[in-house]
Structures are given as structure tokens and as C-alpha cells.
Amino acid sequence: MAIQYFISDLHLQPDRPDLVAALYRFIDAHLQDADALYILGDFFDAWIGDDEDAPFYLDIAARLNRLSAQGVAIYFQHGNRDFLIGEQFAKSAGVTLLPEEYKTLVAGKPVLLMHGDSLCIDDTEYMAFRNQVRSTAWQQQVLSLPLEQRRAMAVQLRSQSSSMNAMKAEDIMDVNPEAVAQAMRKFNVSTMIHGHTHRPAVHEIELNDQRARRFVLGDWNTTGWFIRADASDLQLVEFDI
């Protein structure tokens, strides 16, 4: 039975070298027995295009590529911070890009993988922004801008996001229970794994009169989070950064 690991919301950025160090320790300490690693979005705090040439990002891509070359299959879902990652980065990092909703076998059972932001439908302001930036026209327009201009835009967008979130009620920024249920029914699963909300937990829910579970990965800040899945079950694990 395959051993799979899941991480999300590392928000890797040049001014947080501790997060990159934690990623490398995680790889060295935990992935030696791994068959697959799933990265469920917001791996980077921002991604401005696959022509990003800063050594910080190139080094991380090279480290993932070495892991892939060692036989660990790496899968990547886009988050709300790194949705511009494309095939050029995927090739350099040795990763396979996944759709935003992806059903796969985990611990021998079908599981739905998502970043999780599309489930936060009560945050109508964010959902409108999401629809805009996920459009092909918007992305083509942004990617046509000079690299330095996109870097400045990323800083501005992060600042705006922090300001807007500070004024929102906590429950608005969490997933909508009915959106969760609809997604799980759509893919006929009783287990979901996602990130985005930064609220790590294992939720026991009732779905179609049966027991179901929603695993939420935490973000990496002062602690890190991952899920390890083997033949027996899934385990949500916290560790110090």
C-alpha cells in the first residue's frame, strides 16, 4: 500500500527562511518512505509567473526535482496565492499539476483533494475576486507585464488581502458546510482533504446518513502540519518549525 503525504499553505517567501528550512527538514525526516507527496496549494506566498528567476524560487524547485528523481511522485494543486504556477515550473520542479478538485485513492479509499478556497462561498467579496483572477483574460494580461511590475503587484495584493481579511467575521472566511457536502456528493467520497482556512482539524460529519470526515491542513508558521496516509488510516501531524 502506498504511503502518501499531504501539505498545504506553507506560504514560502524570501523573508521567511525558517519556512524553507522546515520544508527541507520535513523532506529529509519524513519523506524517505514516501511514495507520493501532495501539495494542496499556497506552497508559495505569491507566484508571479513561471519566468520568476529569483534564486530563492529556483532553489526550491531544484529541491523538489531531486525528491522526484528519488522516486517520490509529487502532485501540486493551485492555491489562491500560487494559481499562476504553470507547466514550466512543474517541469523544473518535477511535479504534476492537478485540477482544483481531484479524486484519488488514499489509504485504499476514495478521497477528494482541494485547496479549499472555492468552498468559502459565504465570503462573496473574495469569491468575486477569485473569479476575476482565475479568468484566462486576466492571467494573460498580468503575465504580459514586466517581471518587476508583477512583483510589485504581488506585494500590493498581499497587503490588500490582509487588510480586507482583518475586517471580516471569522465564520465568513471558513468553508460553507453545504458547499463541502455538495463537493463530496459530486465525487461520491466520504473523505475530503483541504487547506486554505489555516484551521487544522479533523471534522466528523454526516453525509447521506453515513459518517464522513473532512481533514483540514494547517498553515506553516510557528508550527507545520502534514497528513500521513498508509494502509491503516490518515493521521494529521503537527511539528515545530
Side-chain angles (χ1 to χ4, degrees):
M1 179 68 69
I3 298 178
Q4 301 154 296
Y5 287 82
F6 303 82
I7 56 176
S8 181
D9 298 276
L10 279 67
H11 293 275
L12 301 177
Q13 49 194 292
D15 58 354
R16 288 292 306 271
D18 57 322
L19 297 179
V20 181
L23 170 64
Y24 294 168
R25 289 198 307 273
F26 165 72
I27 290 174
D28 292 337
H30 296 283
L31 299 188
Q32 301 309 307
D33 67 346
D35 295 290
L37 170 66
Y38 290 83
I39 302 170
L40 306 187
D42 284 5
F43 185 63
F44 295 111
D45 196 51
W47 187 258
I48 57 172
D50 283 5
D51 56 341
E52 173 63 81
D53 58 3
F56 173 82
Y57 299 101
L58 299 179
D59 290 347
I60 293 170
R63 185 65 184 90
L64 291 180
N65 196 293
R66 290 199 299 274
L67 180 64
S68 175
Q70 293 168 6
V72 179
I74 308 175
Y75 301 97
F76 193 105
Q77 276 185 322
H78 295 109
N80 55 293
R81 297 296 187 95
D82 49 19
F83 55 86
L84 288 177
I85 282 179
E87 291 295 343
Q88 182 179 331
F89 171 82
K91 183 177 180 180
S92 68
V95 307
T96 300
L97 298 180
L98 299 178
E100 65 177 67
E101 299 173 317
Y102 185 71
K103 179 179 177 179
T104 190
L105 288 178
V106 179
K109 298 178 180 179
V111 172
L112 178 60
L113 308 179
M114 304 178 68
H115 175 60
D117 60 323
S118 63
L119 300 170
C120 299
I121 61 174
D122 295 324
D123 188 348
T124 54
E125 185 179 39
Y126 169 71
M127 294 304 291
F129 172 77
R130 185 183 191 277
N131 289 336
Q132 176 190 6
V133 301
R134 293 299 182 102
S135 71
T136 301
W138 187 92
Q139 293 186 9
Q140 288 177 343
Q141 180 181 8
V142 168
L143 291 173
S144 69
L145 298 173
L147 194 58
E148 284 303 322
Q149 189 172 342
R150 278 179 273 146
R151 285 174 176 152
M153 179 183 291
V155 172
Q156 182 181 16
L157 287 174
R158 286 200 302 271
S159 177
Q160 290 176 352
S161 175
S162 297
S163 298
M164 289 189 299
N165 288 345
M167 296 184 292
K168 293 176 182 177
E170 285 292 315
D171 58 335
I172 287 179
M173 294 186 291
D174 203 353
V175 299
N176 176 280
E178 183 54 34
V180 170
Q182 287 181 5
M184 296 179 75
R185 291 191 193 104
K186 175 183 175 182
F187 287 90
N188 191 28
V189 299
S190 59
T191 304
M192 170 189 283
I193 301 174
H194 71 81
H196 179 65
T197 63
H198 301 183
R199 301 176 184 188
V202 181
H203 298 275
E204 301 281 345
I205 59 179
E206 186 174 306
L207 185 69
N208 301 332
D209 297 323
Q210 294 183 340
R211 173 177 169 270
R213 293 186 297 176
R214 177 169 65 92
F215 287 79
V216 186
L217 285 157
D219 62 316
W220 290 29
N221 189 8
T222 56
T223 60
W225 296 85
F226 66 88
I227 290 172
R228 184 183 189 275
D230 57 24
S232 58
D233 202 3
L234 290 71
Q235 182 182 10
L236 179 63
V237 181
E238 181 182 13
F239 64 96
D240 291 332
I241 287 180

